[in-house]
Amino acid sequence: MNASGTAGPPGFGGAWAAFPQRLAAELRKENRTLAAEIIHEIRRQIPEFSRPLSGQFGAAIQNGVETALAEFVDRVEEGGGELDAERLPVYRALGRGELSEGRSLDALQAAYRLGGRVAWRRYVRVARRLSLATDAVAQLAETAFTHIDEIAAASVAAYARAQADAAGTLGRRRHRLLTLLVAPEPAPGPQPRHARPEPVPDDVLRQAARDAEWPLPDTVAAVALSPGPGRRPPGPGDAGPARPPGGPSRGLRLPSLVLADLDGPAPCLLVPDPAELLTDRRLRQVLRDRAGATGPVVPLRQAADSLRWARALRAHAPADEPADADRRLTDLLLLADPPLVRLMAARRLAPLDALTPKQRERLAHTLLAHLQTPHGSAPELAERLAIHPQTARQRLHHLQRLFGAQLADPDARFELEAALRAGLARPGGPGEYAPGPPC
């Protein structure tokens, strides 16, 4: 506590009481011209503040300097205390102003330091005129620069709060844009009432993109992610983003233009300019961490299709591995109608049913390799399957006996390969649809 019973600033104890009463009066006289000098030096030495001080910008700088000087003298006179609550909005406005100008806090911090040095040169002359003791001069210096630290801290806190508010607003706008882009397009023909949303009008989409500060790209790729810890997998009704980003996944870092719903029941991303951003290190890390399935690169208006295909692939790919639909387009085609693929497999792969599980698996691999190699010859199969050429010939003869003319029929070959790629020739015969990896 100081002599008047008022608590001083942290670190000063009762040292404020050492200042003579006439010091505050002399500092106030100095302040009459000091504010102008500080503003002149700030404009001269700090490029961000070099423009004419007109309008709201100029008024905020002028008011900030004058308020800081006046409050310092009041604190010297009153023996310290906290910053005046009625003056705090002035310092906070300076912090918010820097954000609205699109700047970091570097320029404002530099202005505070410069203003402190200019003010101290004046104040030390006052101290000499008053013949203050060395200890009092040192205490005056410490209090002056601590005062600057405190008002700077108020500006920094206001900047951070405004930044968080802006990020929240922008996040909500981008979530709305993501919802508009990945909402499924209506199917052709009559639709049950409210069954599918109408296409988003171009002007609505453009305005939503402007609000979200998101330049509309020509192409996009959607990404289906595995749910975060403690969340259920997406269900049939989870067509789009569930809510704005937040919660447990806030720590994930993504390129700024990637639209994201990370914490809903059906988490997803929408990646603009995929050729560039899909190679970004931060995005690749998220795809690994959340086993992302990347949909095909499509025109912007087909974003919903890309997400639908990505989710289909995510549902059938290994649960802990990323997957890329652009490399699995045939698998996506097979996923379009699993019952039809099962029916086709049951018919085309029926010759394998009489074999043992081991024989069926071995010949299925050989048949797929035969269909996918340029000529299907024994040497090609031997190289692809890493078996002896004679073993390859024996298997080829076995396949000829089982499938006969089907191996020369284009339609039959297509259906056989589709069934085999779908993994429907596994031991036990055709069963639940589960596409295997492309060979």
Side-chain angles (χ1 to χ4, degrees):
M1 305 289 281
N2 58 33
S4 64
T6 303
F12 300 125
W16 288 83
F19 299 134
Q21 290 296 317
R22 65 185 184 279
L23 175 61
E26 291 300 317
L27 293 178
R28 282 198 181 90
K29 292 178 184 178
E30 204 69 27
N31 283 352
R32 294 171 186 170
T33 57
L34 179 55
E37 182 181 355
I38 289 175
I39 291 172
H40 173 77
E41 289 301 314
I42 288 174
R43 292 186 61 206
R44 186 176 70 86
Q45 297 189 41
I46 301 177
E48 290 84 351
F49 295 100
S50 62
R51 72 180 200 238
L53 297 181
S54 58
Q56 188 175 359
F57 171 78
I61 299 299
Q62 185 81 30
N63 191 27
V65 172
E66 292 176 352
T67 300
L69 293 174
E71 181 162 20
F72 174 69
V73 176
D74 288 348
R75 297 177 82 184
V76 168
E77 184 176 52
E78 296 168 5
E82 302 293 330
L83 290 175
D84 184 356
E86 294 184 1
R87 286 167 166 157
L88 275 174
V90 174
Y91 314 132
R92 291 168 177 162
L94 289 172
R96 290 193 297 271
E98 289 302 282
L99 183 66
S100 67
E101 292 286 331
R103 293 193 292 259
S104 71
L105 280 171
D106 292 346
L108 182 60
Q109 298 279 38
Y112 276 132
R113 291 192 296 270
L114 177 57
R117 291 196 301 271
V118 173
W120 177 244
R121 287 198 297 265
R122 292 278 207 101
Y123 288 165
V124 77
R125 291 201 293 265
V126 172
R128 288 170 181 164
R129 287 200 307 269
L130 297 178
S131 300
L132 291 186
T134 302
D135 289 348
V137 174
Q139 185 63 61
L140 181 63
E142 189 172 355
T143 57
F145 288 103
T146 298
H147 176 69
I148 293 170
D149 287 344
E150 290 176 352
I151 62 178
S155 296
V156 170
Y159 183 97
R161 176 63 183 270
Q163 196 173 44
D165 290 345
T169 299
L170 186 63
R172 288 189 292 273
R173 289 174 177 174
R174 290 194 167 185
H175 182 266
R176 176 176 180 267
L177 177 61
L178 176 60
T179 303
L180 291 175
L181 287 168
V182 301
E185 294 283 355
Q191 297 290 308
R193 189 179 180 186
H194 305 309
R196 302 287 295 274
E198 291 295 323
V200 180
D202 288 344
D203 58 335
V204 173
L205 186 58
R206 285 194 296 268
Q207 184 59 53
R210 284 193 293 269
D211 292 343
E213 300 177 19
W214 199 74
L216 290 173
D218 293 328
T219 59
V220 294
V223 178
L225 301 174
S226 296
R231 295 188 176 273
R232 65 174 178 83
D238 296 324
R243 58 186 178 81
S249 295
R250 284 178 182 162
L252 291 177
R253 298 182 62 223
L254 288 164
S256 61
L257 290 181
V258 173
L259 302 181
D261 172 36
L262 294 171
D263 296 315
C268 64
L269 308 174
L270 190 64
V271 182
D273 302 318
E276 178 181 352
L277 286 182
L278 283 175
T279 62
D280 186 280
R281 175 182 53 80
R282 295 163 295 175
L283 182 55
R284 302 305 301 174
Q285 184 63 49
V286 172
L287 294 183
R288 287 191 294 270
D289 292 346
R290 297 286 290 269
T294 305
V297 175
V298 296
L300 178 63
R301 279 294 193 171
Q302 285 188 261
D305 289 328
S306 183
L307 181 57
R308 175 168 56 84
W309 291 324
R311 284 181 171 151
L313 186 59
R314 174 67 278 147
H316 293 90
D320 58 349
E321 296 178 10
D324 186 349
D326 265 328
R327 300 179 181 179
R328 305 275 298 269
L329 293 180
T330 302
D331 291 335
L332 286 174
L333 182 63
L334 299 178
L335 286 166
D337 195 341
L340 180 59
V341 177
R342 285 197 293 269
L343 176 63
M344 184 169 60
R347 293 177 177 179
R348 290 297 181 184
L349 299 177
L352 299 177
D353 290 349
L355 305 178
T356 66
K358 182 175 289 188
Q359 289 174 321
R360 186 160 54 242
E361 183 176 16
R362 186 167 55 238
L363 282 183
H365 283 296
T366 305
L367 177 57
L368 184 58
H370 171 70
L371 296 170
Q372 291 183 330
T373 51
H375 303 97
S377 65
E380 289 175 319
L381 296 186
E383 181 178 357
R384 179 163 183 154
L385 298 174
I387 58 178
H388 193 277
Q390 184 59 33
T391 303
R393 290 188 188 91
Q394 292 173 352
R395 292 188 188 179
L396 274 177
H397 291 321
H398 198 169
L399 289 173
Q400 288 287 351
R401 290 195 300 273
L402 290 172
F403 291 95
Q406 292 188 67
L407 298 181
D409 183 307
D411 290 339
R413 288 172 63 92
F414 173 81
E415 293 180 10
L416 282 168
E417 183 175 352
L420 291 164
R421 286 177 65 92
L424 295 177
R426 293 173 181 170
E432 288 301 312
Y433 181 76
C439 297

